[in-house]
Amino acid sequence: MDTVTLNYRQIIEKVLKEYVDFFSMGEEEVHIGLVLDKKNDRYLIVEVGWQNNYRIYGTLIHLDIINNKVWIQHDGTEEGIANDLVNAGIPKQNIVLAFKPPEIRPYIGFAVS
């Protein structure tokens, strides 16, 4: 196994667990879950439950590791998870903001692909 991918897996798991702890404070009828698919290098935080008779279901964060880069497929946070990943040790040039159009990626300071 590639040591870069192994290291990124550990960093992602740590950062996502911190987000789960943060998101879990408050609404008791909405469950915040962490999905760690290490075999396929897919990592998600999902919310499931009910709030005021309204069904809550969705993905808050979705990350993939593709070719030794972390692809942020979806980021439902206010501040953005990319900087948390950088602060935890993943270089900007190895983080792709996949939710941004490919034509603007060269101008935002992270990996293009």
Side-chain angles (χ1 to χ4, degrees):
M1 177 181 308
D2 187 319
T3 57
V4 170
T5 298
L6 181 60
N7 187 41
Y8 287 0
R9 285 178 182 159
Q10 294 168 342
I11 290 171
I12 288 169
E13 186 172 349
K14 177 184 178 296
V15 170
L16 290 182
K17 283 181 178 180
E18 291 171 1
Y19 270 98
V20 167
D21 291 343
F22 176 76
F23 287 139
S24 295
M25 298 179 344
E27 186 62 45
E28 296 172 5
E29 295 181 21
V30 177
H31 173 75
I32 305 298
L34 179 59
V35 179
L36 303 172
D37 180 359
K38 295 177 184 178
K39 179 181 177 191
N40 296 302
D41 283 320
R42 181 159 291 134
Y43 308 89
L44 299 99
I45 295 178
V46 297
E47 60 180 345
V48 178
W50 291 89
Q51 186 176 42
N52 300 325
N53 295 323
Y54 181 75
R55 178 69 174 162
I56 304 293
Y57 178 85
T59 302
L60 297 170
I61 297 173
H62 174 175
L63 308 174
D64 292 324
I65 299 175
I66 303 170
N67 297 325
N68 289 325
K69 291 185 180 178
V70 177
W71 288 64
I72 302 175
Q73 305 290 0
H74 179 74
D75 185 353
T77 68
E78 287 183 32
E79 299 293 322
I81 192 170
N83 289 323
D84 291 325
L85 295 171
V86 170
N87 292 336
I90 299 176
K92 279 186 166 188
Q93 66 267 21
N94 288 345
I95 298 173
V96 178
L97 304 183
F99 58 91
K100 298 285 188 186
E103 60 272 10
I104 70 162
R105 290 183 199 158
Y107 309 106
I108 55 179
F110 288 89
V112 174
S113 64

